[in-house]
Amino acid sequence: MQITVTLNGSDQTHDVEPRTLLVDFIRTKGELTGTHIGCDTTSCGACTVLLDGTPVKSCTMLAVQADGRAVTTVEGLKRADGLHPLQAAFKQEHGLQCGFCTPGMMLVGAALLEQNPAPTEDDVRWAISGNICRCTGYMNIVKAIRAAGAEMATS
Amino acid sequence: MFPSSFDYVAARSVEEAVAAKAGAGDDARVLAGGQSLIPMMKMRLAAPAQLVDINRVPGLDALERTNGQLRVGALVRHADIARSDLAFGAIASAAPWISDPLVRNLGTLCGSVAHCDPEGDWNSVLLATGADVVARGPSGERTIPITDFVVDFFTNALRDDEMVTEVRIPVPNGRSGGSYQKLERKVGDYATVAVAAHLELGGTGAIARAGVALTAVVPKNTKVTAAENVLVGNHPSTELFEEAAELAAQASEPRDDVRGSAEWKRNVVRVFTRRALTAAAAQAQQG
Amino acid sequence: MTLTQKPSTPPEIGGIGHSVRRHEDDRFIVGQGRYLDDHTLPGMLHMAILRSPLPHARINSIDTSAAAAVDGVVAVVTGELLAQYNLAWMPTLSGDTQAVLATDKVRFQGQEVAAVVATDPYIAEDALELIEVDYEPLPVITSPQQSLAADAVLIRDDKEGQTSNLVYEWEAGDGAATEVAFARADRVVSLETHYPRSHPSPLETCGCLADVNSATGQATIYMTSQAPHAIRTVFAMVAGLPEQNIRIISPDIGGGFGNKVPVYPGYVVATAASLVIGKPVKWVESRSENLISTGFARDYHMKGELALTNDGRILALRVQMLSDQGAFYADAQPTQFRAGLFHVVTGSYDFPAAHVQCRGAYTNKAPGGVAYRCSFRITEASYLIERLVQTAAYELGIDPADIRFKNFIQPDQFPYETPTGFVYDSGDYPTALRSALDAIGYEKLRAEQAAARDEGRFVGIGIAHFTEAVGAGPSKKYDILGLKMIDSAELRVHPTGKAILKLGVRSQGQGHETTFAQIVADELGIPVTDIKVVEGDTDNTPYGLGTYASRSTPVAGAAAAVVSRKIADKARKIAAHLLEAADDDIELQNGVFSVKGTPGRSVTIADVSLAAYTNLPDGMEYGLEDVHYYDPPNLTYPYGSYVVVVDVDPETGVWKARRVVALDDCGVRINPMIVEGQIHGGLTEGFAKSSMQWITFDEEGNCSGSNFMDYLIPTAWETPRFELLETCTPSPHHPIGAKGVGESATVGSPAAYVNAVIDAVAHLGVRNIDMPLLPDRVWSAIQSARATGG
């Protein structure tokens, strides 16, 4: 069936099988490969995207469910004037190593900061607890998200 | 991992959804949050011929208190409940511990209730609080007490042509409290052991109503009537809660598995029942 | 030893010691990393693999007709078909053989049986369901003890001359001297423990995209490989393809941790399929495939005994180890050492005698034995000795810190030869442990622990002091399948003074693009931002054995330093020519060549670079380029002291790590920020394995831990917070004094967590709980200790 998904602000209309997973739609039809697949069982969050601003796991959603809705991926985080503060903070605080979980972590961070501009360490750890990182031990991810919050508050 | 092919119906109304479901018989599944169903389809443990997507049905996302009931529509997500001021007692206590934050953004209470996974949390909470499930079929609506709705391991009381539209949880009038104690190995894990407790106090401070239910240590979410009976009519006390906890432990039927031995799980039921009742009583006595 | 190090270059050059922000991050933070699955080629097909549901069964027949008839299916591959090309079996990195697609029987649950190649991955998976395999179940062996029993069914009946399930027997140390020491010991303390099976499970699974050009025979294979050069050589041997016709490209890798070292059947089948079909074929594992079939780690059953004097001096160590190898012996480790570097089990202690006896057995489990964030079985060794020393402390009534101080190798004993033949390069262990204890407030915690016990609360303080042996390795001892474990670096400085550094190793998140550039920056004074680092393409990088076992910095990092020095030597001559001075009078500092004693006369590295292509002294070859193959004279020996505090709930056995203090000494830190990141990751792995992350099997051989719902990876919520400390004892033989660090915390920390939980309940008489320390195991240990009146 034909669906239209607003992907990072631009409408993407494609024919898909109903069983097509949203993550495959984004990666294949949308040609955006920053959204990753890590586990298949809704456990790891590497496939996290924002659905109308809310973080969800795109491997556990059908593309047809996103028909008419807005999806933001890591490629949509960047602002007209440069990097999103989260992107800058992840680099500055060494919040990534292999980079595979990073898009998901940043998108969850973006949604969190939207609701809670000055999260505590526990707030951040709780918010990212649906996302697995195998490299960093989370220390610097937490630091990066909090640093981005502070940066966004002052700018 | 990818699901098998299926027909997809995006229902625009409950009537449309029910009609689609009735047309496909037991080969159709309702898609609400999809957080249990889609993984099962990807692992090809489920291969429905038809999916009836109810996410575009207006009105099913209502979470409200009316007529002394907390009404949870079929599209109310776990996250909606976790952040709502309307949730109370064991419901408010359980909501943040459902799966993980992202799953809570899509998964629904009604979907979890209908799934009847004995390791699922909500049915124990509903058993403890005495909720009703509202089902709609071609011939109209019926209200099913949760005790009747949970039939067995992954089996509910719905007919093939029915779907859950709402869950109604009675809101206590007087002083009440509740708690959900869950032992999970990590965020996102199913419960290894969990206990829901709900207490309502009468004017004298004695327990007027009590609900205790178990998750993951029984073949289906189960109300511990023996424990409830011991509680009702008595004033909260450590001894009373220990007695109830012992009855809950006896009512549990845990099994040895990779999460731990049956003996340990039974012990955790005992400890968690006591802790849940203690927390529930403290909350009731404050309010 | 110094407590900290200071960089010698200014920040704008960004040499060693600067926490330079990572170059590779620029693409990752915007979603422009290019991992394996992000690659597509015209006409690309997709492959899916059918796996055995049974752990041990004879295959009577395979019917692929229904699968082949599915619209969109291009080919169905079986072992029978591969056998026609002599590809049904392949060698493992340990010199054993492994079935690519099963022909005779399946030997573990999840083994590769057939593959479908289709136009779409969804269709490929649909077709898998239509393949019918007639299996005849065989008895299942799920433990190495069972496996070595006299009446055990023979798992490897495919191997000529194999009459039992024994894989190897290997020993190190001096048995006779050890027996003598035990005979005169006051006390013997023993510990039997199992280091459970685990899996590296990087967040990106394994996969490949094989593109064989039927006209030229050129095979370009994109592959999630930590060791692309070694894999190319193995591929040439397996497939009989000319090595120059194979190009392995290892793109951005989403974590490896040892999982991406071996050759997997999927790689071979996809390449064969591409060769036969004439189109590119992509294969990407599901998470479940990754967990049930690719390189597992650990699974060592260990018994250790210490001979001691009454006052706690260690006299000798005796170890017996039995490893569960799964159905194919596929450890990725040096040929000479059948149990890897497990014989480093004497740890950080000075005693004269040790005897280590190892055996491995086949079982009906997945093959592997990879070094999961570990230098070849050092994790198991470190765990055993640190648990054993702790046990001895309780048995002798000595404080667990004191027994370590009493037996440490002293700073003036380095280089120190251990009784099993390692020569530790440098260290100051007492300072490290003292600093870690002071940071956590050890004595105060002991007082709190005593007070808590009086109230019925259990607090535990766990110590682990590990010594690692990394950077394999010297060519006289270290090879894999005969390939010496050297590594290389190729450096070219362009006419404009910018540089490209090419290496045989492959980063999987360790930050090579930054740290290796820092080494060159430090040597030549070229700003770090002007140096591009290239890895992972066998056609465009010099040969090397790859990134695992913490060997990149000790071996390739050394190569980068040495090749920079070769370039500096030539550059100095060019500078002398430009400055009209003698070669010996030229000094290089921070990218400026000056004449000794004449500060005004100088040229920059950029000037020299241009001259290398435009204006040379007579007789000199043009260009500023060189390559160096580094053969390390010894391993390097990083070490650390970790202290963990836990609170244990006596009612449920649930425990939480309250504090984790980790002091690491990895010699000179090239990029302190990256080093700390590596340690954070390792401390998390240690927590994971001590608390929840394991793979186990039921009696029928069914794998539990076959997806992330059962194989538990801790989230930010469970993971403790870490407090890091450092000392710096440079490696005396490494060109820049660095030691490897990527695995230190994975190696060292499990014992610290476990020792902490045991410490919380040691007063009851508990001495051992096997990992993972699930609450029920802790609770049961408390119950049985109480029942026996401990």
Side-chain angles (χ1 to χ4, degrees), chain A residues 30-45:
Chain A
E31 297 181 334
L32 296 175
T33 56
T35 305
H36 301 140
I37 300 168
C39 78
D40 306 307
T41 50
T42 328
S43 309
C44 82

Side-chain angles (χ1 to χ4, degrees), chain C residues 203 280 283 286 376 474 741:
Chain C
L203 203 50
W283 168 67
S286 69
F376 312 119
V741 74

Side-chain angles (χ1 to χ4, degrees), chain C residues 502-588:
Chain C
K502 300 176 176 185
L503 300 150
V505 290
R506 183 69 188 107
S507 182
Q508 312 122 43
Q510 295 93 331
H512 289 184
E513 289 170 48
T514 311
T515 47
F516 289 135
Q518 286 183 261
I519 294 173
V520 175
D522 204 79
E523 296 287 341
L524 295 177
I526 300 172
V528 67
T529 44
D530 289 347
I531 301 162
K532 176 178 172 180
V533 174
V534 175
E535 297 180 342
D537 179 345
T538 54
D539 272 8
N540 289 309
T541 55
Y543 203 89
L545 271 268
T547 294
Y548 45 87
S550 289
R551 61 187 300 282
S552 291
T553 292
V555 189
V562 175
V563 76
S564 299
R565 289 171 194 177
K566 288 183 179 176
I567 294 281
D569 285 344
K570 181 171 183 183
R572 202 173 280 115
K573 290 191 177 79
I574 300 172
H577 163 70
L578 295 176
L579 295 167
E580 295 173 343
D583 294 359
D584 292 347
D585 288 342
I586 301 295
E587 286 179 325
L588 168 60

